[in-house]
Amino acid sequence: MAGGVRLALGGSVLRRLMLAAAASGMVLMSIELLTPGRLAELAGTAEEGSLAYAVVAALGFAGSAMGSALAPRAARLAGGSAGGAIAGTALTALSVGALAATAGVDGLPGMLSAGLAYVTLFVGGAVTAVLCLELTHKAVTAAERTTVTSTSSLSLQSGGIVANLTLGSLAAQAGLAAAWSVGAVVMLASALLFVRMPAPTGSSPAQALPARSGSG
C-alpha cells in the first residue's frame, strides 16, 4: 500500500487521476446511499421502492456498458482521452445536478426523472472510468499497473468514505437536494484535473528514484 501511495504521488498525471477517482467515489456513494430512500419515497412503500431501485440499478448497468462502448468515440470527438474524460465527468455532474433539481418532484414525473438521471450518470461515469484507466496505463510501466490500479481503487473508496460520513448527515439536515448539489459541484470541479494534463510518459518518477538509489 505504501508503495502504491508513493507511486501515485510521484507524478502529476497519477496524482490527478487519484483525485479524480476520489471524486467519483464520493459521487457514487452519494447515489448508493440516497437513491434507495428517494425511490421508496416516490413509490410510496419500501417494498415498491426496492423494486423500483432494482429496475433502475439494472438500467444503470446497461448505461455503464453503453458509456464504456462510447468512451473511444468520446475521446476522438474531444481530441484525446483527457478531453473525453472531461466530457464524461461533466455529464456525470449534470446528472447528479438533475437529481438535486428534481428532489422535490413527486409521483411518476419524479420517478422518471430520477431514473433517467441515474442511468445518464452511469453513462458519463463509465466514459470517464475507461479513459482514466487508459491514462493510468500509459503513465506507468507494465510492472506498476497492478499496484497503481489498487491505489486507484483505494482512492475511490476513500472518496466513498468521505461521502458516507458527510452527505448522509447533510441530506438528513438540509435535504436530498443539498447533498446531491454538493456531489455535483465536487464532480464538476474534478473535471479541472484533466485540463492541460501532462502527457503520460510510460514510467513514473517514483520507480526511477529507487533504481538510482539501489533500493528495492
Side-chain angles (χ1 to χ4, degrees):
M1 184 181 296
V5 172
R6 286 196 301 269
L7 179 62
L9 295 177
S12 175
V13 172
L14 291 181
R15 284 196 299 270
R16 294 188 187 204
L17 291 172
M18 295 307 112
L19 288 172
S24 294
M26 187 172 182
V27 167
L28 289 173
M29 178 56 70
S30 77
I31 299 303
E32 294 182 7
L33 185 65
L34 303 176
T35 301
R38 167 64 172 154
L39 293 180
E41 177 186 355
L42 288 169
T45 66
E47 292 77 11
E48 292 179 354
S50 297
L51 176 61
Y53 185 69
V55 173
V56 169
L59 293 174
F61 279 110
S64 182
M66 182 184 299
S68 297
L70 290 174
R73 179 173 296 182
R76 287 195 299 271
L77 292 175
S81 296
I86 291 174
T89 301
L91 182 60
T92 304
L94 180 63
S95 301
V96 182
L99 285 172
T102 59
V105 179
D106 296 324
L108 183 60
M111 183 72 74
L112 292 176
S113 61
L116 180 60
Y118 186 95
V119 174
T120 306
L121 181 150
F122 277 92
V123 173
V127 169
T128 302
V130 169
L131 296 177
C132 281
L133 186 61
E134 180 190 6
L135 290 167
T136 300
H137 281 196
K138 289 181 177 179
V140 298
T141 64
E144 297 169 320
R145 284 173 185 162
T146 300
T147 299
V148 79
T149 298
S150 298
T151 306
S152 179
S153 178
L154 181 63
S155 297
L156 186 79
Q157 294 173 34
S158 297
I161 291 172
V162 172
N164 203 20
L165 293 175
T166 58
L167 295 186
S169 298
L170 179 61
Q173 296 174 11
L176 289 174
W180 275 327
S181 294
V182 170
V185 170
V186 169
M187 198 65 192
L188 188 59
S190 73
L192 297 175
L193 295 167
F194 300 100
V195 176
R196 296 184 179 180
M197 177 173 279
T201 61
S203 62
S204 65
Q207 185 202 34
L209 185 58
R212 288 195 297 268
S213 64
S215 59

